[in-house]
């Protein structure tokens, strides 16, 4: 893909996500839940796009890419598994909750496995940032489309996490928000999470589309 085609893809993705958000707002409560809830339309599409991204990386990058950038690939796989609720499917509760480690009723073995998973993820994040942040920053200055793709992914990720469980976060501040705002935040969170693998796939299409590319994402 050329830079122009990739930018068009990014723009169309933004339009697509906005349309999905508008659709969610006009759905009746029952249909909205089917559209947005776990294993619903949006979450299923998110898993599919992560899967397509992983398959595309394997197909285009082959073993050389996987050996060199295994931590990026495995982070993408983890994101797909998280959308499939693997982080809480086999344990007492989600392993990213503080009380998972602090309560007395979670089995020690679960806590141990959860801690190992988190340490490995943090290590992969460290590898990615330490090895690629300079290329990412230089790419933004030089207007590389791949760096812009990575930036959009980071923005979507940060935005979705900031509004995740927004009512709970406001409760901690003793501030009550209405059901509509809570629903809007939930819809925005789920739809932004769908945007992440779509942008990733477009970015990787641009990355592998460059013959002899000399910079990393």
């Amino acid at each position: 893909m050329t830079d122009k085609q990739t930018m068009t893809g990014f723009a169309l993705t933004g339009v697509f996500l906005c349309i999905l958000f508008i659709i969610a707002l006009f759905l009746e409560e029952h249909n909205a839940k089917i559209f947005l809830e776990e294993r619903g339309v949006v979450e299923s599409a998110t898993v599919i796009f992560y899967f397509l991204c992983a398959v595309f990386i394997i197909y285009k990058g082959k073993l050389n890419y996987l050996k060199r950038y295994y931590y990026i690939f495995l982070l993408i796989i983890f994101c797909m598994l998280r959308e499939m609720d693997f982080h809480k499917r086999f344990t007492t509760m989600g392993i990213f909750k503080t009380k998972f480690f602090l309560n007395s009723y979670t089995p020690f073995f679960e806590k141990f496995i959860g801690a190992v998973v988190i340490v490995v993820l943090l290590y992969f994040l460290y590898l990615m940032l330490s090895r690629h942040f300079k290329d990412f920053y230089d790419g933004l200055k030089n207007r590389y489309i791949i760096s812009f793709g990575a930036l959009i992914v980071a923005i979507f990720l940060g935005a979705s996490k900031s509004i995740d469980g927004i009512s709970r976060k406001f409760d901690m501040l003793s501030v009550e928000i209405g059901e509509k705002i809570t629903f809007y935040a939930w819809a925005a969170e789920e739809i932004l999470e769908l945007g992440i693998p779509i942008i990733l796939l477009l970015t990787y299409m641009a990355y592998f589309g460059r013959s002899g590319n000399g910079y990393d994402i």
Side-chain angles (χ1 to χ4, degrees):
M1 289 181 70
T2 65
D3 287 3
K4 186 175 181 180
Q5 289 172 328
T6 306
M7 282 299 294
T8 301
F10 290 165
L12 290 175
T13 299
V15 172
F16 173 64
L17 297 178
C18 288
I19 291 172
L20 289 181
F21 183 72
I22 292 170
I23 290 173
L25 298 187
F26 283 94
L27 288 175
E28 295 180 1
E29 183 178 352
H30 174 71
N31 293 328
K33 287 182 178 179
I34 294 174
F35 191 63
L36 295 169
E37 68 183 2
E38 293 182 1
R39 300 181 184 87
V41 175
V42 172
E43 187 175 273
S44 297
T46 304
V47 173
I48 290 170
F49 272 104
Y50 272 120
F51 178 75
L52 291 175
C53 188
V55 170
F56 184 77
I57 292 170
I58 294 171
Y59 173 70
K60 298 294 288 187
K62 299 181 173 58
L63 190 59
N64 285 338
Y65 183 89
L66 297 180
K67 286 171 63 177
R68 189 176 181 187
Y69 302 120
Y70 64 92
Y71 45 92
I72 298 178
F73 180 75
L74 290 176
L75 282 171
I76 291 172
I77 295 297
F78 164 76
C79 289
M80 181 180 72
L81 293 177
R82 188 185 182 284
E83 288 297 322
M84 298 168 68
D85 295 329
F86 271 60
H87 64 296
K88 59 183 179 181
R89 182 172 294 182
F90 307 105
T91 52
T92 307
M93 66 180 72
I95 65 173
F96 300 112
K97 294 180 180 292
T98 305
K99 61 181 179 180
F100 173 79
F101 295 98
L102 298 181
N103 71 67
S104 57
Y105 53 84
T106 301
F108 173 78
F109 182 71
E110 287 188 14
K111 292 181 180 181
F112 176 75
I113 295 298
V116 170
V117 170
I118 290 173
V119 168
V120 170
L121 286 174
L122 289 174
Y123 176 64
F124 287 167
L125 284 171
Y126 165 76
L127 288 178
M128 185 175 68
L129 292 173
S130 63
R131 295 182 181 183
H132 301 282
F133 185 78
K134 185 178 184 303
D135 289 323
F136 165 72
Y137 181 71
D138 290 343
L140 287 179
K141 290 196 297 184
N142 291 298
R143 299 184 179 181
Y144 288 154
I145 195 68
I146 294 168
S147 290
F148 279 117
L151 177 63
I152 295 170
V153 167
I155 291 172
F156 279 13
L157 184 62
S160 64
K161 294 309 167 191
S162 67
I163 58 178
D164 180 20
I166 192 169
S167 60
R168 183 182 68 253
K169 292 173 181 175
F170 273 92
D171 283 343
M172 294 172 63
L173 299 173
S174 299
V175 177
E176 185 176 344
I177 60 174
E179 290 185 5
K180 279 192 174 181
I181 295 177
T182 301
F183 174 76
Y184 294 161
W186 177 39
E189 176 204 347
E190 295 296 333
I191 291 168
L192 281 170
E193 287 181 350
L194 170 59
I196 293 170
I198 298 176
I199 297 296
L200 271 175
L201 179 58
L202 291 170
T203 302
Y204 268 106
M205 289 172 71
Y207 177 79
F208 287 117
R210 293 172 178 268
S211 57
N213 90 54
Y215 60 95
D216 299 325
I217 60 174

